[in-house]
Amino acid sequence: QELAASQVLVNIMLVGLLPGIGFGIAAASLVGQALGQKAPDDAREWGWDVAKMAVVLVALIASPAIIHPDLFLGAFLHNEATLALARTPMRIVALFLPLDILGAVLMNALLGAGDNRRVAAVSIVMQWAIGLPLAYLIGPTLGHGLVAIWLVQVGYRGLQAIIFVFFWRGDAWTDIDV
């Protein structure tokens, strides 16, 4: 049941991330274009403007899942016990999805600015050195279950988003020669 619930949650989360990826690609293009025109202030503004639009849109899309997760889960899960397992993690994912989208957009904006090394380092470390080992420890090893694993998931991705916000607020990406 946990595997079935997780599979559905991952798929729903990935669909929820799609608008953020699209906005992120737009941010990368706009930032790269502004930097090509030697306008780093415009680039910074594009990153924030696109991020704000993406966060608002995704928050609107995700809010029904916080209030009534069965609207999303019920299309895929029909066993009541499995639905019950998935409800709380669905709410957690929906609640934190706007922060995840903020990180995705700013990550792509940084890529558009040519800040590939820092983005890659943060992404790899956060997923492979922190997120996955911690999820394995919390879930299968210590047996805290599906909710704890999803809290780890949104926690490491939220921390990653915050790191990208700090990178974007800094100036290191404005001086990179592409």
Side-chain angles (χ1 to χ4, degrees):
Q1 290 176 330
E2 285 185 343
L3 183 58
S6 291
Q7 182 63 41
V8 169
L9 289 164
V10 166
N11 287 329
I12 291 172
M13 183 184 74
L14 290 174
V15 170
L17 287 172
L18 286 175
I21 293 168
F23 277 102
I25 292 168
S29 299
L30 294 165
V31 165
Q33 185 178 30
L35 289 175
Q37 295 171 348
K38 308 288 187 225
D41 290 338
D42 289 349
R44 183 181 311 277
E45 215 169 306
W46 275 121
W48 288 126
D49 287 347
V50 173
K52 288 177 210 171
M53 289 183 353
V55 166
V56 168
L57 175 70
V58 169
L60 289 172
I61 293 169
S63 58
I66 298 166
I67 300 162
H68 192 55
D70 287 6
L71 287 173
F72 295 89
L73 296 170
F76 306 101
L77 299 174
H78 306 293
N79 177 289
E80 183 52 43
T82 308
L83 262 169
L85 269 172
R87 282 184 187 113
T88 299
M90 179 77 236
R91 285 183 170 114
I92 291 167
V93 168
L95 187 64
F96 285 94
L97 195 57
L99 178 61
D100 202 358
I101 294 301
L102 173 65
V105 170
L106 293 180
M107 176 189 75
N108 279 282
L110 289 162
L111 291 172
D115 203 354
N116 303 0
R117 285 193 178 123
R118 288 194 311 168
V119 167
V122 168
S123 298
I124 290 167
V125 167
M126 292 304 297
Q127 181 171 345
W128 294 100
I130 296 173
L132 290 174
L134 193 55
Y136 185 78
L137 175 67
I138 296 295
T141 304
L142 298 176
H144 290 294
L146 198 58
V147 171
I149 290 170
W150 281 95
L151 285 170
V152 168
Q153 165 79 9
V154 299
Y156 100 79
R157 291 192 57 92
L159 180 58
Q160 179 175 288
I162 291 166
I163 291 168
F164 290 141
V165 166
F166 279 111
F167 283 2
W168 191 250
R169 291 182 67 186
D171 289 328
W173 58 268
T174 62
D175 297 326
I176 298 171
D177 288 327
V178 181

